[in-house]
Amino acid sequence: MFDDALPDFALRGEAGIDLFARSDDDAHRRARFRCVATLGDDGTLVDHMPDAKRDLTALRATAEALAADPLLTPFVLADVTSWPKASDLGNPIRLFLYLDFLRAWQVADMAAARFEAGLRRAAGTLPPEAARLPTVILPILDFNQLSRGSRVARALLPLLNAQLADPAFRKPKNGGGTGYALRMLGDLCLRGKDAALALQCYETAVASGDNPFRRRRAIEAARAAKDAEALARHRAAYAQRWRLPADLAEDKDTE
């Protein structure tokens, strides 16, 4: 429906204005939307994917333009007289971009809601979907659902920590997916300003399978949580196995 040259676009999210990028997921024959940055209410632009090296000035301009976007005019799905018209927009394709996003968001939201319901129904046990945990968590991260990410993290952490106590579960075939899912949940908690919960997620991710990226995130969360003990512990663990980057060796935000 779209080509790869579509610009990033903005929506109001939980922590400010979220900037999204759309790409085609050929493997599943559908579009994928990913939150790439957030412009907070305090004016701070947080780049969630710095390795992509997006133009931050352009991202900020896209976010700030949302306030004057004609697509913000209230409308009701069941009232055709209230609908925005593509013919009235300077760039008609933008309307279809938002409609495509709405469809994808609703599908992801239903799947995440079912997973949460499963956690509530069988308290203390993992639902069947836990076998493919990264697949469940990835859309929550992509759509930057911060509150849901925190809820899921709080429900999953004690269950996954209990599983990790079983040596059989710590084999790479199991630990890899679990660690990836926990890293994503940690990212959501960190974006939602719950650094202590993010640190728990990253620490459990490390327990499921250590690597430099997960240790880096644990160090960053410990800094944000001002947890000097955890910061020293994760720095030492990082330096014991890999060369500690200069930015991780700096003391900041823990006083």
Side-chain angles (χ1 to χ4, degrees):
M1 182 176 179
F2 302 115
D3 58 34
D4 293 332
L6 285 170
D8 297 329
F9 65 103
L11 299 102
R12 169 63 63 176
E14 292 184 54
I17 298 175
D18 290 335
L19 283 302
F20 284 86
R22 182 195 182 281
S23 61
D24 288 319
D25 186 344
D26 294 332
H28 296 91
R29 301 181 65 183
R30 64 189 179 199
R32 179 181 179 183
F33 294 90
R34 178 180 295 178
C35 183
V36 298
T38 298
L39 180 64
D41 293 329
D42 62 355
T44 301
L45 181 67
V46 180
D47 185 357
H48 302 316
M49 300 178 64
D51 290 345
K53 301 187 183 303
R54 284 183 168 80
D55 184 340
L56 299 186
T57 300
L59 284 174
R60 180 179 290 275
T62 298
E64 292 174 344
L66 184 65
D69 197 320
L71 287 175
L72 282 181
T73 303
F75 72 94
V76 180
L77 285 176
D79 180 3
V80 70
T81 64
S82 71
W83 292 356
K85 297 178 177 60
S87 58
D88 293 339
L89 302 176
N91 182 4
I93 199 66
R94 290 178 59 253
L95 175 60
F96 297 100
L97 179 61
Y98 280 95
L99 288 174
D100 198 33
F101 178 91
L102 174 62
R103 182 204 60 79
W105 188 96
Q106 293 290 351
V107 170
D109 187 70
M110 286 190 295
R114 285 195 300 269
F115 182 70
E116 280 196 275
L119 287 171
R120 290 192 297 269
R121 280 195 305 270
T125 61
L126 287 167
E129 295 92 336
R132 50 182 184 86
L133 202 53
T135 303
V136 174
I137 303 303
L138 182 59
I140 300 175
L141 178 71
D142 281 349
F143 288 107
N144 208 35
Q145 296 182 343
L146 305 182
S147 297
R148 172 167 279 148
S150 293
R151 291 196 305 269
V152 171
R154 291 186 189 280
L156 281 177
L157 278 171
L159 305 178
L160 294 177
N161 277 312
Q163 277 200 339
L164 288 171
D166 178 1
F169 186 78
R170 298 187 65 172
K171 294 178 181 179
K173 66 177 182 179
N174 292 323
T178 301
Y180 178 41
L182 284 162
R183 194 275 295 168
M184 290 189 283
L185 287 172
D187 289 352
L188 284 164
C189 294
L190 205 54
R191 294 179 192 179
K193 309 300 183 186
D194 193 338
L197 184 58
L199 179 59
Q200 293 179 50
C201 290
Y202 295 136
E203 289 184 330
T204 306
V206 166
S208 74
D210 202 355
N211 65 41
F213 185 73
R214 292 174 189 171
R215 283 287 180 184
R216 165 178 282 278
R217 299 301 280 162
I219 291 171
E220 292 168 347
R223 279 176 172 167
K226 301 187 185 302
D227 188 332
E229 184 279 327
L231 178 57
R233 174 163 41 84
H234 287 295
R235 272 181 176 163
Y238 193 114
Q240 187 175 13
R241 298 187 61 184
W242 306 286
R243 183 176 179 179
L244 189 67
D247 66 306
L248 297 184
E250 296 173 356
D251 289 315
K252 57 183 178 180
D253 298 332
T254 57
E255 292 78 9

